[in-house]
Amino acid sequence: MDAYLQRIGASRTSSLAELQERHLLSVPFENLDTHMDVRIVLEVPWLHEKIVERRRGGFCYELNGLFAELLRDLGHEVELLAARAYGAEQRLGPPFDHLVLLVDGEWLVDVGFGAFALHPLSWTSRDDQEDPAGVFRLRDNGGDVDVFQDGAPAYRVERRPRELAEFVPTCWWHQTSPESHFRKGPMATRATPGGRITVTGQKVVVTENGRKTSTDVEDPAAAFREHFAIEFQRGHLRQSSASGVLRQS
């Protein structure tokens, strides 16, 4: 965990808000393993090796899964909560579509949703919450909680605590299903002090102090290497219909 703190430029005395912000400024939200024939393993040693030792990023199960371990090591109480992200036409994704953290029973923490809050959100407040990334609001929806960003629904959170292993089936679905938005194309994005940088297979988009610039990408591998120090090699996933095993082709 000390190596993890060094990776994000934080210390054991950093506040929860500092830990979240420094994480988002250091570790990208990215789906490149999904396009490099790498099976994501939701186990802490595997996540630590990828994110801390190889200085990679990941998506929600990986980023929030490992961040939960860091917070527990620092003395916080952390519960893993399942959420369903809102997609096109405000349609909810499948169960366990997203993973978020409830910290110390009062803070919603999320370092795995791409462009989202830089600081923890109050779990109990139902008022507007201002953040450098926008205005957020939580609203009860039956037994669940809807989270809004700038007036638009982001995701719906269940209140029941979960274990990381419970997210394995949907993690696999996101890596393999043609319906998963993570299968549409490679991408990596990270917050910056003045905004955000995002690289896809087609574009490099930089937002700085509210101003956005977009540049076409001729060589995706070079772009991911330049902006995120990630060696990207495009792969192809094929599922054996007989065994259901993920194979390379």
Side-chain angles (χ1 to χ4, degrees):
M1 292 299 110
D2 287 336
Y4 192 174
L5 289 168
Q6 186 177 25
R7 163 84 166 94
I8 64 175
S11 70
R12 289 189 169 273
T13 60
S14 296
S15 67
L16 180 61
E18 290 173 331
L19 290 167
Q20 178 169 329
E21 181 171 354
R22 289 179 181 274
H23 192 288
L24 291 168
L25 290 170
S26 304
V27 183
F29 176 86
E30 48 109 332
N31 68 347
L32 300 187
D33 276 355
T34 296
H35 298 272
M36 294 195 292
D37 298 342
V38 177
R39 181 69 178 270
I40 293 169
V41 179
L42 296 188
E43 297 176 0
V44 172
W46 191 93
L47 299 176
H48 187 277
E49 190 274 337
K50 177 183 179 181
I51 296 171
V52 177
E53 297 177 24
R54 291 194 285 124
R55 304 182 72 82
R56 285 281 305 279
F59 54 13
C60 66
Y61 311 113
E62 303 169 274
L63 300 178
N64 283 325
L66 189 62
F67 195 54
E69 292 299 310
L70 174 65
L71 296 180
R72 287 167 178 155
D73 188 70
L74 296 175
H76 295 279
E77 295 183 4
V78 184
E79 294 180 352
L80 308 185
L81 300 182
R84 301 171 67 188
Y86 281 95
E89 299 179 356
Q90 296 189 9
R91 294 177 181 173
L92 284 169
F96 297 95
D97 184 38
H98 185 49
L99 165 63
V100 301
L101 308 178
L102 178 60
V103 180
D104 299 329
E106 58 180 326
W107 299 107
L108 180 69
V109 171
D110 192 346
V111 296
F113 200 63
F116 199 65
L118 284 180
H119 300 141
L121 300 175
S122 170
W123 180 245
T124 57
S125 174
R126 297 297 178 261
D127 297 327
D128 284 347
Q129 302 185 49
E130 295 187 2
D131 181 89
V135 179
F136 295 82
R137 177 185 283 265
L138 278 62
R139 180 184 300 167
D140 295 318
N141 190 319
D144 301 329
V145 177
D146 281 342
V147 180
F148 292 81
Q149 180 176 7
D150 293 329
Y155 50 72
R156 178 172 294 171
V157 187
E158 297 180 359
R159 297 177 185 266
R160 174 184 172 185
R162 301 289 186 172
E163 299 294 332
L164 187 58
E166 295 181 77
F167 294 86
V168 169
T170 311
C171 180
W172 179 85
W173 181 87
H174 273 304
Q175 294 178 80
T176 60
S177 173
E179 298 179 11
S180 168
H181 61 91
F182 290 112
R183 296 290 298 144
K184 305 304 181 185
M187 63 81 65
T189 182
R190 186 186 67 242
T192 65
R196 174 166 295 275
I197 180 169
T198 300
V199 177
T200 69
Q202 293 79 37
K203 300 280 187 180
V204 175
V205 180
V206 176
T207 303
E208 189 73 18
N209 298 321
R211 184 177 181 180
K212 181 179 294 186
T213 59
S214 179
T215 306
D216 291 339
V217 167
E218 296 183 1
D219 184 347
F224 287 114
R225 185 185 310 114
E226 175 185 354
H227 296 286
F228 293 97
I230 297 175
E231 293 295 332
F232 174 65
Q233 295 181 340
R234 186 182 298 275
H236 176 67
L237 294 175
R238 178 171 62 84
Q239 183 178 338
S240 167
S241 60
S243 65
V245 175
L246 202 63
R247 301 175 183 271
Q248 291 187 8
S249 61

